[in-house]
Amino acid sequence: MRLAALLFTFTGLLAAQGSSDIVISQVYGGGGNAGAQLRSDFIELFNRGRATVNITGWSVQYTSATGTTWQVTPLTGSIAPGRYYLVKQADGANAAATALPTPDATGTIAMSGTAAKVALLRDTTIIDLVGYGETNQFEGSGPTRVLSNTTAAIRRASGCTDTDDNANDFQIGAPAPRSSATEPAVDCTASTPISNATISQIQGSGATSPLTGQLVITRGIITALGGNGLWIQSMPTDDDQNAATSEGLFIFTSTLPAATLARGHQIQATGTVTEFRSASDPGGPTLTELVDPVIEVQAQGLPLPAAIRLTSGTDWERYEGMRVSVPELRTVSGTLGSINESTATSTSNGVFFGVLPGAASPYRSPSPDETWELLRVDSRAQGGTVLDVTANTVVSDLFGPLDFAFRTYTIVQDPTPLRTEGGLTPAPIQVPPAGTFTIASANLRRLFDEQDDPGTSDPVVTTAAVQARLASISRVLRETLHSPDIIAVEEVENEPLLRRLAQATGDYEAYLLEGNDIGGIDVGLLIKRSTRTRIISVTQEGKETGTANDRLWDRPPLVARLEVGGVPFTAIVVHLRSLINADTATVAAKRRAQAEGLRDLITTRANLGEEVIVLGDFNMFQFDTLMINTIRAGEPVTNLTDTLPVSDNYSYIQDGVMQTLDHVLITEGLKARLYRYEVARVNTPFPEVARISDHDIPVATFLVDPGSAQLKPAGVTNAANYLTTSLYPGMIVTIFTRGLFGQGIRINAGDTASQFNSTNEQISFSVPERLSGTEATLRIGNSNTLTLPLRPPAPGIYVIWNQDGRRNAPDVPAAPGSIIRIAANGSVGETTVRIGGQPAENISRSQGSAAYRSISVRVPATLPPGNAPIVLSDGPRTGELSRFITIQ
């Protein structure tokens, strides 16, 4: 082996240059330190050759980064071909850390966890040398990178790589000690590189590479450099002209690529083909990468390959790693970022999500395999300016390699400016009219104070940061929400902190009772002081349910008996178990038990004659079986989430996908008083640096006197599903109100709507077919007027008939495999139907008009008994979850 130019002595003897197939394959010096997973330091050897080597009389030696006095551990025994040899060194103070596998030799050297020198000697001959971290002796061009308590220097290709260069030969990763007992043996002869492998051969025509695990030599033009690797694309002469294979590839360097590399360089790279899958998403798809690379620059200043324009309806897998372009993108989220809780500051990471022109925004639906043509954009990845955008911004001139991250195709944006147009500005909700009261629910995302509470993992926040957060939240509650009468809050540390928010917001009472959450967050209430508001009682439910080490409720429900304007009701504030690890048996059982407990609590209160409103962060989608079949299986309650149109039916955005986790459930008496339900868009559409939380805020407005003759926005519904709606030509509308029976209905100035099936509490009519424009004014009588959007709705369902002609109901279920007929509205184009998340075979095309049509489908034969969600889709428009079908 070739040593660095500086020769040195070991234990006072002059070292001579030697040669052997035995190499140092791993070095770790953080054993037993704080945060270390392993208890001991170690040095690992490996036999790269084809013959067994007797190492009796050999030694491993150690000194500090600049030291000259070497500590020695003698070795005995032999190392077979492809086998390892583990030399245990000193233990650290962390005795709880995991012990090493049974070592082959043991020493007592306390090694540095960051930087030092390790050598392998046969008698006095230097066989191998590894300088790790910032040290003055090493092989080749430089030492390995600095190590830590959680990282080791690991020789590439399982120990087979040896170019006599520590910087090239070692990668940094989690320590993984191997000994003579490690199976199987490694065959380094199998690691001979496949020469001249083109990028298209590496990528292949499928979802994974046909060369996975192979050592290859390839070449290409650098198109981009990122924080932990670079992208290359085929030379024109290497392009196989096959549309099914990608000509781009990501090379993972684990750290910033060398400063000598730049876009437009032609390089040759030797490395191992790998299908990368994030450890945080073990079920996710993979990305083809070249890892452990050795890179050589062959030419400079070459033009970048022409970018391929991404279009809808194309499998983007074929462009993985290639340079692509998107002339225009409509954003569906604000720019993401990171948060410093102690200072209450946030930093943008430049990442946002969007869709191509004309594509629908992604919404979480009951379909388990629903996919969207969603793009993730990293505006800073190549060193460009971080772009902060809101949702509904049109971003132009996107160029860069197509990566894959968080299960989403990602444009690694070139370091060139992006053009933007449009976007959103914060806007207050509608001012509640006289004779109403409002109730809101606000997840305040880990609102903590300056104290370090014992027994919890709460962060300690500076006083200035607490004051800044309270001021920001208070401003939203006052100016955007117009100071609701009742505000349920989630994720607040304690009652004194909530009282500080109450004082900052105005004349409010604060109620919060400590729960069991290890992180120290609780649910609470802010109740506006008013002559019309009476607080009867505020209690907590179920804090002691379960065992001392396994309480059912981390954040026990807060139950308030209240009266506003003479209207009595019970408010239940909830924050249920999160969706993290929800598919594991333990978490699933807890979530089910919480749903059952909430169901029983609602039912108990309703049986006492109380009207109930339940609100908060449910951590459930509105179509979850826990929501539908458990919580709502007791006392009849309406989930106000179901009253919103698809375009506005979300309170949270996860990786660009809109979804509702925050709900408001009300019993029938409060439903009769409902004036309006809306979600205040104060967080999710905006950049992280401009938010007070990651949830938007649902707000329900109720009439003090529901008998007054007043047209309510919440009462104008699509007759097919009774969801709050827009209008469209030919539509059948049902209005729920009182005192308006017998009065004429007009759409715009002169179009009289045709009424039928009208009563004093419900009026149904059809919208004139000749209606046009973007909005329409609905007028009942002389004074009740509303202006509503004019646009096609998502399809809705009037009724479902079983194959025997009977109407589907809980006691009249449909048999799996049978044919059902659906009466629906929506467009008259081809409609797809999913039942229980499975596609239903279309038996007959839809017949009729947009207002009323008939569709026949076959129920999937594999559906289990019970209630299954049934969802209709017309092209890009997916129906709201308006119906469930009962399966036999």
Side-chain angles (χ1 to χ4, degrees):
M1 301 190 69
R2 178 164 46 86
L3 292 180
L6 179 62
L7 293 178
F8 52 96
T9 59
F10 292 83
T11 60
L13 298 175
L14 180 66
Q17 184 171 335
S19 178
S20 173
D21 286 323
I22 307 299
V23 294
I24 298 170
S25 54
Q26 192 170 175
V27 177
Y28 176 60
N33 293 347
Q37 293 184 331
L38 296 176
R39 187 183 308 166
S40 310
D41 302 336
F42 67 85
I43 301 166
E44 179 192 276
L45 308 179
F46 176 66
N47 186 348
R48 302 171 59 247
R50 300 185 179 183
T52 298
V53 177
N54 187 337
I55 61 170
T56 298
W58 293 31
S59 66
V60 289
Q61 302 196 17
Y62 168 90
T63 190
S64 64
T66 58
T68 58
T69 301
W70 296 78
Q71 301 177 68
V72 180
T73 302
L75 308 177
T76 59
S78 59
I79 308 177
R83 296 290 184 177
Y84 301 94
Y85 186 99
L86 183 62
V87 184
K88 176 185 176 297
Q89 298 293 355
D91 293 337
N94 183 7
T98 303
L100 300 181
T102 301
D104 300 294
T106 300
T108 58
I109 301 172
M111 300 167 58
S112 168
T114 56
K117 296 170 291 197
V118 175
L120 172 66
L121 275 74
R122 183 183 63 222
D123 297 324
T124 59
T125 301
I126 304 167
I127 302 301
D128 197 7
L129 168 69
V130 177
Y132 64 93
E134 297 179 359
T135 183
N136 62 1
Q137 291 170 319
F138 42 81
E139 277 191 341
S141 64
T144 78
R145 298 201 316 278
V146 175
L147 305 188
S148 71
N149 292 344
T150 59
T151 56
I154 306 171
R155 188 175 290 273
R156 300 179 189 274
S158 301
C160 294
T161 299
D162 187 12
T163 65
D164 300 331
D165 190 329
N166 290 167
N168 241 350
D169 292 346
F170 284 84
Q171 62 184 336
I172 305 304
R178 295 161 291 194
S179 69
S180 58
T182 299
E183 294 288 348
V186 177
D187 183 3
C188 289
T189 62
S191 298
T192 302
I194 301 174
S195 300
N196 302 320
T198 65
I199 292 174
S200 55
Q201 289 171 339
I202 294 171
Q203 288 283 10
S205 58
T208 59
S209 171
L211 299 180
T212 299
Q214 298 292 313
L215 187 66
V216 300
I217 301 175
T218 191
R219 67 173 183 168
I221 300 171
I222 297 177
T223 60
L225 296 118
N228 62 357
L230 54 94
W231 286 262
I232 62 172
Q233 194 158 326
S234 296
M235 304 290 296
T237 54
D238 293 337
D239 191 329
D240 67 353
Q241 303 299 314
N242 182 352
T245 59
S246 171
E247 299 296 334
L249 182 66
F250 180 65
I251 299 179
F252 178 71
T253 58
S254 77
T255 59
L256 279 171
T260 55
L261 301 176
R263 295 201 303 166
H265 282 14
Q266 177 188 323
I267 64 168
Q268 176 179 285
T270 302
T272 303
V273 179
T274 300
E275 288 295 328
F276 170 75
R277 177 183 282 115
S278 172
S280 62
D281 186 15
T286 61
L287 176 73
T288 303
E289 295 182 352
L290 200 68
V291 301
D292 301 339
V294 176
I295 297 172
E296 176 187 345
V297 177
Q298 297 179 320
Q300 300 181 21
L302 300 181
L304 298 183
I308 296 173
R309 180 172 176 174
L310 291 185
T311 57
S312 181
T314 303
D315 181 7
W316 295 341
E317 162 74 18
R318 69 185 65 180
Y319 305 134
E320 178 185 291
M322 296 181 68
R323 185 169 163 75
V324 299
S325 72
V326 174
E328 283 191 357
L329 185 83
R330 179 178 64 83
T331 61
V332 295
S333 73
T335 305
L336 307 181
S338 58
I339 301 169
N340 184 322
E341 286 192 314
S342 65
T343 60
T345 56
S346 54
T347 305
S348 173
N349 65 7
V351 174
F352 55 88
F353 294 83
V355 293
L356 297 179
S361 298
Y363 289 91
R364 185 75 62 189
S365 81
S367 174
D369 56 354
E370 182 167 9
T371 58
W372 309 275
E373 285 193 332
L374 178 66
L375 277 168
R376 181 177 177 269
V377 178
D378 191 339
S379 63
R380 64 158 189 184
Q382 294 192 54
T385 302
V386 168
L387 181 63
D388 280 323
V389 296
T390 72
N392 286 334
T393 301
V394 175
V395 182
S396 304
D397 301 332
L398 290 103
F399 289 89
L402 188 66
D403 196 20
F404 191 84
F406 299 95
R407 297 200 179 195
T408 308
Y409 283 104
T410 300
I411 296 179
V412 183
Q413 173 61 29
D414 284 355
T416 54
L418 289 166
R419 293 189 297 111
T420 62
E421 183 179 354
L424 302 176
T425 55
I429 66 171
Q430 299 180 58
V431 177
T436 65
F437 61 92
T438 56
I439 304 178
S441 173
N443 183 311
L444 300 183
R445 190 170 61 179
R446 295 174 58 81
L447 181 60
F448 287 95
D449 64 13
E450 303 93 333
Q451 306 302 315
D452 186 5
D453 294 340
T456 65
S457 58
D458 59 320
V460 177
V461 187
T462 67
T463 298
V466 175
Q467 292 173 344
R469 285 209 67 190
L470 293 176
S472 298
I473 295 168
S474 169
R475 188 177 305 112
V476 168
L477 298 180
R478 289 180 287 107
E479 298 177 6
T480 303
L481 303 185
H482 307 299
S483 299
D485 296 273
I486 311 293
I487 307 170
V489 295
E490 301 90 52
E491 299 196 19
V492 179
E493 184 174 17
N494 52 49
E495 189 172 71
L497 182 58
L498 188 58
R499 283 199 296 269
R500 291 165 68 179
L501 178 59
Q503 183 178 9
T505 306
D507 201 11
Y508 278 87
E509 294 277 3
Y511 293 89
L512 184 148
L513 296 172
E514 290 295 331
N516 303 312
D517 190 278
I518 187 61
I521 56 175
D522 300 295
V523 299
L525 275 169
L526 292 174
I527 303 173
K528 186 190 292 185
R529 295 189 182 99
S530 168
T531 55
R532 68 173 187 168
T533 301
R534 186 165 70 98
I535 304 168
I536 301 170
S537 64
V538 179
T539 58
Q540 190 180 64
E541 293 287 338
K543 180 177 181 178
E544 304 301 324
T545 303
T547 65
N549 296 323
D550 185 21
R551 298 297 184 195
L552 172 60
W553 301 100
D554 302 301
R555 284 90 48 181
L558 197 66
V559 180
R561 187 76 181 131
L562 306 169
E563 188 177 288
V564 181
V567 179
F569 59 91
T570 297
I572 302 175
V573 187
V574 299
H575 185 188
L576 305 185
R577 173 60 165 85
S578 76
L579 286 162
I580 297 174
N581 297 324
D583 55 348
T584 63
T586 301
V587 175
K590 184 167 189 172
R591 284 170 54 82
R592 177 167 296 281
Q594 286 186 349
E596 292 169 346
L598 183 55
R599 173 200 63 200
D600 295 343
L601 178 57
I602 296 170
T603 302
T604 298
R605 290 289 178 161
N607 288 341
L608 295 173
E610 301 172 9
E611 296 298 337
V612 179
I613 178 170
V614 188
L615 67 171
D617 182 355
F618 284 71
N619 277 313
M620 297 177 185
F621 307 124
Q622 64 270 33
F623 46 78
D624 280 356
T625 56
L626 288 180
M627 173 70 76
I628 299 298
N629 296 341
T630 306
I631 296 177
R632 298 174 67 181
E635 176 68 19
V637 290
T638 296
N639 186 357
L640 297 186
T641 296
D642 293 340
T643 68
L644 296 174
V646 166
S647 60
D648 201 34
N649 196 349
Y650 66 97
S651 67
Y652 192 83
I653 299 179
Q654 176 69 40
D655 293 336
V657 179
M658 301 176 181
Q659 50 205 263
T660 301
L661 299 176
D662 307 83
H663 305 281
V664 178
L665 311 182
I666 58 175
T667 50
E668 290 300 305
L670 285 176
K671 182 179 178 181
R673 297 178 182 274
L674 181 65
Y675 175 78
R676 179 170 47 233
Y677 180 67
E678 57 200 313
V679 179
R681 299 285 167 225
V682 293
N683 293 311
T684 62
F686 298 102
E688 176 59 57
V689 294
R691 298 177 179 177
I692 64 166
S693 177
D694 49 353
H695 292 244
D696 285 330
I697 302 177
V699 184
T701 304
F702 298 93
L703 290 166
V704 172
D705 179 9
S708 60
Q710 190 168 16
L711 186 59
K712 301 180 294 181
V716 181
T717 68
N718 183 336
N721 49 26
Y722 297 145
L723 301 187
T724 304
T725 190
S726 55
L727 302 176
Y728 74 101
M731 175 183 180
I732 300 175
V733 176
T734 294
I735 295 179
F736 294 94
T737 186
R738 291 184 181 181
L740 297 178
F741 176 68
Q743 301 187 41
I745 299 176
R746 284 177 291 168
I747 308 292
N748 291 340
D751 291 328
T752 301
S754 178
Q755 296 187 47
F756 50 88
N757 296 332
S758 295
T759 69
N760 193 47
E761 296 184 351
Q762 176 177 325
I763 302 172
S764 296
F765 63 91
S766 59
V767 176
E769 291 279 359
R770 58 180 174 273
L771 213 58
S772 62
T774 59
E775 61 181 26
T777 300
L778 172 64
R779 181 185 298 273
I780 300 182
N782 296 321
S783 59
N784 281 282
T785 302
L786 283 177
T787 299
L788 297 170
L790 185 64
R791 58 172 178 253
I797 300 172
Y798 292 107
V799 65
I800 302 168
W801 284 282
N802 294 338
Q803 186 165 320
D804 60 7
R806 294 187 299 167
R807 181 170 180 165
N808 185 269
D811 58 345
V812 187
S818 65
I819 296 173
I820 60 171
R821 184 163 59 90
I822 306 167
N825 68 5
S827 75
V828 292
E830 184 65 23
T831 298
T832 60
V833 180
R834 299 184 74 86
I835 303 176
Q838 300 183 36
E841 179 189 356
N842 198 326
I843 301 299
S844 68
R845 286 179 171 271
S846 58
Q847 301 175 353
S849 67
Y852 191 92
R853 57 207 176 97
S854 176
I855 308 164
S856 294
V857 299
R858 187 181 302 278
V859 177
T862 56
L863 283 177
N867 291 331
I870 179 167
V871 178
L872 276 59
S873 298
D874 284 340
R877 290 196 300 275
T878 298
E880 295 95 336
L881 183 62
S882 54
R883 286 289 187 273
F884 284 78
I885 181 173
T886 303
I887 306 300
Q888 195 172 59

